Amino acid sequence: MARGQVETEAKWRLDERGHDRLRLALRRLGATRTGAVREANMLFDSPGEPLRLSGRVLRLRWLDDGQGTLTFKGPAKHSRGIKTRAESELHIGDREAAIRILNGLGFGVSLEYEKTRESWDLDGVAIALDSLEFGEYVEIEGARDEIQRVARLLDLDLARAERRGYPSLARNYRAPQRDA
């Protein structure tokens, strides 16, 4: 993804065999597996969480290969199962320095979650098989018409696409645990 553009994607929650089914379908379609990584995601916000409440995200993502990305996402817009939002990214080489800078600007960690992502490419469309503590998901990212085409090929119904992002899903998953 280019730095500073509009992210266009759709996401679905899968059952326990969903990733296996999609891997098989992707291979049949001639998709290329481009890698797999473990991610540690830290969301930052100011007291009172004004970013979250306005639909914006400030995230520091650190990969198991020692690479990091600072990402800002604007509010999401949803249309027919597809989400679009402004997104700007900056590669970070020093995790602790990035955290100190964000803290110095008044941002603190508001949420942390981990994800394993297996990445695929089908004719220039990015497909991610994501595993998180709260479920298995698939994301398709690309141009709107290409997302629709790949979703059809993978038998994914856009009417059933998940509207919430991983931070919201993580908060919902953990809410009952906080109350216990």
Side-chain angles (χ1 to χ4, degrees):
M1 166 177 293
R3 308 299 165 243
Q5 66 175 36
V6 175
E7 172 188 58
T8 305
E9 68 179 18
K11 172 188 2 249
W12 293 264
R13 183 181 179 104
L14 303 171
D15 62 28
E16 67 276 355
R17 303 278 302 150
H19 281 175
D20 292 337
R21 179 184 69 78
L22 288 177
R23 277 186 202 97
L24 185 60
L26 288 165
R27 285 185 189 105
R28 280 192 205 131
L29 292 167
T32 303
R33 186 178 185 271
T34 57
V37 295
R38 183 88 179 143
E39 303 177 357
N41 293 274
M42 300 171 74
L43 272 62
F44 287 81
D45 212 330
S46 302
E49 298 190 312
L51 292 176
R52 181 181 67 83
L53 294 174
S54 65
R56 298 175 293 161
V57 175
L58 180 59
R59 178 187 68 210
L60 179 61
R61 171 177 287 162
W62 209 256
L63 305 180
D64 58 4
D65 65 3
Q67 299 297 310
T69 307
L70 182 65
T71 305
F72 173 78
K73 295 185 180 201
K77 296 177 183 159
H78 298 269
S79 176
R80 297 186 180 124
I82 296 175
K83 176 171 67 172
T84 58
R85 65 192 317 176
E87 178 180 78
S88 295
E89 294 185 319
L90 176 67
H91 290 288
I92 302 293
D94 185 332
R95 180 179 182 268
E96 296 309 315
I99 292 170
R100 285 192 304 274
I101 290 168
L102 291 166
N103 290 162
L105 291 170
F107 295 105
V109 176
S110 61
L111 177 70
E112 294 183 67
Y113 63 93
E114 292 189 356
K115 170 174 66 180
T116 300
R117 170 164 280 185
E118 181 180 332
S119 301
W120 291 76
D121 178 86
L122 179 61
D123 303 326
V125 178
I127 298 127
L129 305 181
D130 292 335
S131 299
L132 298 99
E133 67 180 312
F134 48 87
E136 304 287 314
Y137 294 83
V138 60
E139 282 187 359
I140 302 173
E141 186 172 342
R144 176 176 292 280
D145 59 333
E146 289 297 304
I147 292 171
Q148 293 167 336
R149 180 182 68 83
V150 172
R152 279 191 304 275
L153 290 171
L154 296 176
D155 197 28
L156 297 167
D157 182 357
L158 281 165
R160 298 177 53 100
E162 175 61 61
R163 290 178 55 96
R164 296 170 293 173
Y166 292 136
S168 178
L169 292 164
R171 283 184 181 95
N172 288 348
Y173 173 78
R174 293 176 185 164
Q177 296 172 0
R178 285 193 306 259
D179 297 336

